[in-house]
Amino acid sequence: MTYKDVIKNIKNKQFSPIYLLHGEEPFYMDKIVNYISNNVLDASERDFNQTIVYAKDTPPIQVVDAASRLPMMAERQVVIVKEAQEYTKASQWEVFESYFTAPSPDTILVFAFKYKKFDKRSRMYKLLAKTAFVYESVGVKDYELGKWIRAYVTEQKQQITDKGVALIAEFVGNDLSRLANELEKLFLLVEDGQQITEKDIEKNIGISKDYNVFELVNAVLDKDFQKALKIINYFEQNPKAAHIITVISNLLTLYQRLFKIHFLKTTDPRQIATTLKIHPYPAKEMLSKKSKHPPKIISRNFNILREYDLTAKGVDASGIPDAALMKEMVFRLLH
């Protein structure tokens, strides 16, 4: 069940007395919590019937007391416990045992347990699985980011270029809350009916269109050492623009994909994109340039990247600055 399905059920007044929202991705939990807090009760009912607390500041017994009260001049009340992962001890959750066994039919009690999963082996989880609605919020994998961005943009009746999708995915990563915030900012700044382009992203999000990890990977794909050198020089002057571990990770991903493309029995970019679980745009680019990177050289480059990954992580550290290591590494990859 997706978070939209959960919200749809709530909108249709199909309530559960307890909601346990847990998992590594806070974005979907926030959507559900915000919908509950803004829609279950009328504005006139919220003052006396809606309680929002943070677990760090609220002992479990106070939550039980709040949830056990009768609603005041309303059909139900809402109690929301944010940052419920702050209840770190089993003894804290055991305070809720009696309530979980027989929850009040007049209360909607919500736990937002963020950034990790609730222990499914625990007695409390097994009890909640019987009496509560349990929703696990799963993050988006890196290879799914492009699809997620395009779906989010389309849902808002906006447009974005393929390269814009790739650039913002590379720059922001899979922090969905930040990604949504950056996209919302772009929606406000781009004129109606106009596509969001790389130029819009560069201007309004603070990323350099020409000097970023995405363009460095493209320079390596093109075997353009001079362009790669210019980008690394920019990184040297702007250390926050890219970290060597991020660069190595992205180059490793590039070579892994190129290696697979060599042995796929298709030259259709869309089929390749589906197989590699990437957007068709980078699939098309890699397909057109795979001849520049024969499998034997790619195998050699795996070893080079492994060597620099260990050095960057402090194994046999030489004290060489990151930018110098990147220049040396890219030179060896391309020669």
Side-chain angles (χ1 to χ4, degrees), residues 142 166-174 178 207 211-218 220 231-232 235 238-257 305 308-310 312-313 322 326 329-330 333:
D142 289 342
L167 186 59
I168 196 169
E170 178 64 44
F171 178 67
V172 178
N174 58 3
R178 184 183 169 206
I207 179 174
Y211 300 100
N212 56 71
V213 176
F214 178 74
E215 289 301 327
L216 177 59
V217 170
N218 278 344
V220 171
I231 295 170
I232 296 171
F235 293 164
N238 301 272
K240 292 184 179 180
H243 190 277
I244 187 170
I245 298 296
T246 304
V247 171
I248 292 170
S249 175
N250 279 271
L251 288 172
L252 179 61
T253 298
L254 169 70
Y255 283 122
Q256 286 172 335
R257 289 170 175 170
L305 289 172
Y308 282 91
D309 182 60
L310 290 172
K313 290 175 179 175
D322 283 359
M326 277 192 263
M329 175 181 70
V330 171
L333 291 172

Side-chain angles (χ1 to χ4, degrees), residues 161-179:
T161 63
D162 287 346
K163 199 165 185 181
V165 170
L167 186 59
I168 196 169
E170 178 64 44
F171 178 67
V172 178
N174 58 3
D175 180 341
L176 299 189
S177 296
R178 184 183 169 206
L179 200 50

Side-chain angles (χ1 to χ4, degrees), residues 154-206:
T154 301
E155 192 175 89
Q156 304 303 317
K157 296 181 171 55
Q158 301 283 346
Q159 301 175 62
I160 187 170
T161 63
D162 287 346
K163 199 165 185 181
V165 170
L167 186 59
I168 196 169
E170 178 64 44
F171 178 67
V172 178
N174 58 3
D175 180 341
L176 299 189
S177 296
R178 184 183 169 206
L179 200 50
N181 287 338
E182 297 292 3
L183 288 169
E184 292 293 341
K185 186 194 304 181
L186 290 166
F187 297 157
L188 293 173
L189 295 169
V190 176
E191 293 183 14
D192 289 344
Q194 296 296 311
Q195 279 192 316
I196 296 169
T197 66
E198 313 89 84
K199 189 174 181 180
D200 296 319
I201 294 167
E202 176 188 9
K203 181 180 178 181
N204 297 299
I205 296 185

Side-chain angles (χ1 to χ4, degrees), residues 3-14 35:
Y3 84 95
K4 291 181 181 178
D5 294 325
V6 178
I7 289 174
K8 183 179 179 181
N9 287 344
I10 295 168
K11 186 176 182 179
N12 292 333
K13 298 189 181 300
Q14 297 173 12
Y35 188 85

Side-chain angles (χ1 to χ4, degrees), residues 43-62:
S44 60
E45 298 174 324
R46 289 178 203 146
D47 286 345
F48 296 105
N49 296 288
Q50 183 156 286
T51 303
I52 300 175
V53 299
Y54 286 84
K56 187 176 181 180
D57 305 319
T58 312
I61 191 62
Q62 287 188 20

